[in-house]
Amino acid sequence: MFLKSLQKLLPLALSAALVLSLSACTIHIEKKDKGTASYASSDDEYGISSDDSSVSSEEDVSSAAADTQEFGNDQVGWLTLDSDFYKWYTPGNTETCVQYAKSPFEILSLDVMDSVALSKEYNVEYDAKMAASSRMYYLEESAKTQNITGITGATEKLGQYDAYQVYCQYPDDNQYLVMWFMDSPDKTKVYYVAAEFRTTEMGFFDYAQTYRMPE
């Protein structure tokens, strides 16, 4: 069971937790500075938002159907979303992280981590399981000072991919945060997908299921 295996990994997760918190999209629910929107039509090239001074990787939006589009890039992967989604930016994100929102409370995030580099740097076998373990440990530590409940780990499918899932609830904000961590086929990368949404918008979870890894 994933939850039991996480407990065995906690000594390693202790050192890896900070790595993950800095090398993947931030815990977006922390509301000190929620984020900013950047609107663009389907024909525009999505770039950084007007108040984002960091460098953003080039992104494309391609047509998938009359009322849907593929959002993402060939670095982090793709999601098929409604055309009314828009680019979102959360301060503190890595350059590789991309986010798309349907509202300031319903946000999808994509990121990627270099498993080979992290394994060498921290002398651990850094893979999707370790990434999920690290994030779960980070949440458990954060829950000592923040109102975070229902922290759970599981093995689940995200679309066609095997994934390690970590989720929790932020009662003060009436929101869920659900994250998936997946190994690339060659085990050199960990792909990250996250969905955060209000408890009244449970259907938002389904958008993450459209995820497609880079080829």
Side-chain angles (χ1 to χ4, degrees), residues 73-115:
N73 61 46
D74 58 9
Q75 188 172 17
V76 298
W78 304 88
L79 293 165
T80 301
L81 306 175
D82 299 343
S83 57
D84 56 351
F85 271 81
Y86 48 86
K87 180 73 188 297
W88 188 264
Y89 172 73
T90 301
N93 281 351
T94 62
E95 292 182 4
T96 52
C97 179
V98 294
Q99 296 177 283
Y100 303 100
K102 206 163 190 178
S103 81
F105 307 99
E106 278 69 50
I107 304 169
L108 293 163
S109 303
L110 303 173
D111 206 352
V112 61
M113 290 156 279
D114 187 330
S115 300

Side-chain angles (χ1 to χ4, degrees), residues 2 152-167 178-182 205 209:
F2 176 49
T152 306
T155 52
E156 297 285 345
K157 285 278 190 180
L158 181 65
Q160 61 180 303
Y161 308 107
D162 293 326
Y164 293 93
Q165 183 191 78
V166 177
Y167 63 91
V178 186
M179 297 167 283
W180 295 265
F181 301 84
M182 298 155 286
F205 175 93
Q209 297 294 332

